[in-house]
Amino acid sequence: MTKKSKKIHKESGVSETIGYIILFGIMTTGIALVTLYGYPVLLNEQANANVKNMERNMIALQSDVKSLNFKNVPYRENTLQISGGVFKVEKFSTDTKYFKVINETGNYQLIPAASFPGNEFHPGQLLFISEKGDILVGLQNGAVVKREQGGSTMLSEPRWFIDSSGSDKILVLIFTQIDSDADYAKSGIGILQMSSEQPVEVSYLLSSASPIRIEYHDTESDYFSAWRNYFNTFSATTDSTVTIPSVKKVIMKFYKVKILGL
Amino acid sequence: MGLIISVSIFLLAIIVNQSMLVGQTTSESVLDFPKAEIQDIRNEVFRYRSAEVDPDPIQADIETLTLYRKSALVDISNTSERLTIHYNNGVTYYHEVIQI
């Protein structure tokens, strides 16, 4: 008799408080795990998304610069949403990175010293500095370059080309310089206003086909490997200079894009 | 039901995210394609060829103007039996030979 009643009402070990504590414990552990691991992952993703977003912005800006250069558009503006870092205009006069073009037969400098002192072309850049640290995305000399953890890549190339359809090899180099009257830097939403200025065009018809050397100098070596890899598409090289053999004609156009406001 | 809606919103977000860049680059490559420029050059070359004027100064002008305004190389060679038009702006390359 007593055995039967025990089987039906078996509640001697059940406590509401313990059950509550167990459930609460599981819940708290869950919240703790999400805060500990999930939240940093989310923040990290957010920072990555910001950098990705800025890469896109830079490619959009590159096509704006292309319109200014190649389509004779006098003025362009672009609304930028800059989050997770600072966007700044680095004008050519304060830039330590520069290009040189040299005719190896006789070591002639081909960039005109009248417009560019010291035969050095300083491009300047539109630069995004991520607050995540050590990530730079720049629009430099018509190319979109990205630097991360000491290395760099070119996300979008400038329009340099060799035309070898005829009997002579023609090298066309397009340079773009960034200039501004004031120093601009912005985070948040900004409207970048750009205008184009009269380009300088130089063309050399060499007396005999000569090797042409293009040098990229970068003291901080920010975009060193980006340009080296790009130079490799012309001729094999292991540093940031490239020698293109037997060029008969060199055409260089120097465009200037002026930033009016941000 | 809730699951289906949330998954579909997630997928839509991915598509919208991708479409911005794809749309822009596609429309730009369409705009960049120099169809009208090549057609203009062709028309002009055919016109002066049929008019039998001296082509040399016109050819040089076309080549200089295209290089100056569009940063594109143009090379026209016009002989009695062959007409060649060559256009290259680094992205688009066009070469035409007409045997006459």
Side-chain angles (χ1 to χ4, degrees):
Chain A
M1 193 65 181
T2 47
K3 258 187 179 176
K4 213 175 185 180
S5 72
K6 257 185 189 171
K7 266 187 184 169
I8 295 165
H9 311 284
K10 215 177 177 182
E11 291 181 349
S12 54
V14 176
S15 156
E16 202 181 325
T17 322
I18 292 176
Y20 181 78
I21 288 171
I22 290 173
L23 279 181
F24 190 75
I26 292 171
M27 227 168 69
T28 324
T29 319
I31 291 171
L33 281 175
V34 167
T35 324
L36 191 66
Y37 296 110
Y39 193 57
V41 169
L42 277 178
L43 279 181
N44 204 19
E45 280 306 306
Q46 180 68 40
N48 281 342
N50 284 335
V51 174
K52 278 268 178 301
N53 186 32
M54 211 54 213
E55 285 173 12
R56 271 173 219 178
N57 275 340
M58 282 296 182
I59 288 172
L61 282 179
Q62 187 199 25
S63 56
D64 280 342
V65 169
K66 272 187 193 162
S67 318
L68 291 170
N69 289 355
F70 304 125
K71 290 185 198 153
N72 307 304
V73 180
Y75 175 80
R76 259 329 248 255
E77 65 178 33
N78 199 330
T79 311
L80 299 172
Q81 202 208 339
I82 308 139
S83 42
V86 180
F87 180 84
K88 79 174 215 187
V89 177
E90 196 169 297
K91 49 189 172 182
F92 75 94
S93 47
T94 57
D95 193 10
T96 52
K97 307 167 176 41
Y98 60 92
F99 290 84
K100 276 187 162 195
V101 183
I102 296 157
N103 177 1
E104 283 198 337
T105 312
N107 252 359
Y108 291 117
Q109 298 277 355
L110 297 183
I111 292 179
S115 318
F116 307 100
N119 306 94
E120 293 170 358
F121 175 81
H122 292 259
Q125 60 176 327
L126 299 174
L127 178 66
F128 171 74
I129 306 166
S130 170
E131 65 190 13
K132 210 180 154 194
D134 208 33
I135 296 183
L136 305 174
V137 185
L139 176 63
Q140 182 198 34
N141 199 10
V144 180
V145 280
K146 183 185 180 189
R147 183 223 152 116
E148 191 169 356
Q149 292 172 347
S152 58
T153 49
M154 193 170 277
L155 302 175
S156 183
E157 295 176 348
R159 197 182 281 189
W160 291 7
F161 61 99
I162 296 173
D163 187 284
S164 47
S165 60
S167 52
D168 300 331
K169 202 174 186 179
I170 305 171
L171 175 66
V172 182
L173 303 174
I174 313 276
F175 293 94
T176 313
Q177 203 168 42
I178 304 286
D179 193 16
S180 68
D181 288 331
D183 291 318
Y184 297 107
K186 192 106 180 183
S187 189
I189 291 179
I191 300 173
L192 188 71
Q193 300 165 315
M194 298 167 274
S195 74
S196 66
E197 300 208 337
Q198 193 69 17
V200 177
E201 186 181 316
V202 194
S203 136
Y204 298 94
L205 182 61
L206 308 174
S207 51
S208 63
S210 309
I212 300 294
R213 188 168 81 237
I214 306 168
E215 294 178 0
Y216 171 65
H217 296 264
D218 190 338
T219 43
E220 290 111 34
S221 69
D222 281 346
Y223 309 129
F224 184 87
S225 42
W227 284 100
R228 186 195 57 206
N229 292 346
Y230 179 60
F231 287 159
N232 263 312
T233 60
F234 292 96
S235 188
T237 174
T238 51
D239 56 9
S240 65
T241 63
V242 65
T243 306
I244 301 165
S246 56
V247 177
K248 182 71 178 163
K249 193 175 183 186
V250 184
I251 297 166
M252 289 187 283
K253 290 193 83 170
F254 301 93
Y255 289 97
K256 191 181 263 189
V257 172
K258 191 153 195 180
I259 308 298
L260 302 172
L262 177 66
Chain B
M1 189 64 192
L3 185 75
I4 296 168
I5 290 173
S6 54
V7 166
S8 52
I9 287 175
F10 184 71
L11 290 176
L12 275 176
I14 293 175
I15 292 167
V16 168
N17 201 16
Q18 295 298 317
S19 69
M20 304 268 267
L21 189 66
V22 173
Q24 188 171 21
T25 43
T26 319
S27 60
E28 257 149 27
S29 51
V30 169
L31 285 173
D32 269 348
F33 187 69
K35 185 183 82 178
E37 288 165 37
I38 295 171
Q39 280 176 340
D40 287 350
I41 292 168
R42 278 191 90 220
N43 284 342
E44 199 59 25
V45 171
F46 289 155
R47 193 181 62 79
Y48 74 62
R49 184 164 173 111
S50 56
E52 290 177 351
V53 291
D54 178 20
D56 287 344
I58 306 171
Q59 278 175 202
D61 282 353
I62 290 176
E63 289 171 14
T64 315
L65 275 172
T66 323
L67 183 63
Y68 184 73
R69 292 184 63 84
K70 305 285 178 188
S71 301
L73 289 175
V74 175
D75 185 46
I76 302 161
S77 102
N78 184 6
T79 59
S80 56
E81 73 272 10
R82 186 179 293 177
L83 179 64
T84 315
I85 302 169
H86 173 69
Y87 180 99
N88 187 357
N89 71 356
V91 181
T92 309
Y93 176 91
Y94 177 83
H95 195 81
E96 181 179 12
V97 181
I98 302 166
Q99 305 277 359
I100 296 159

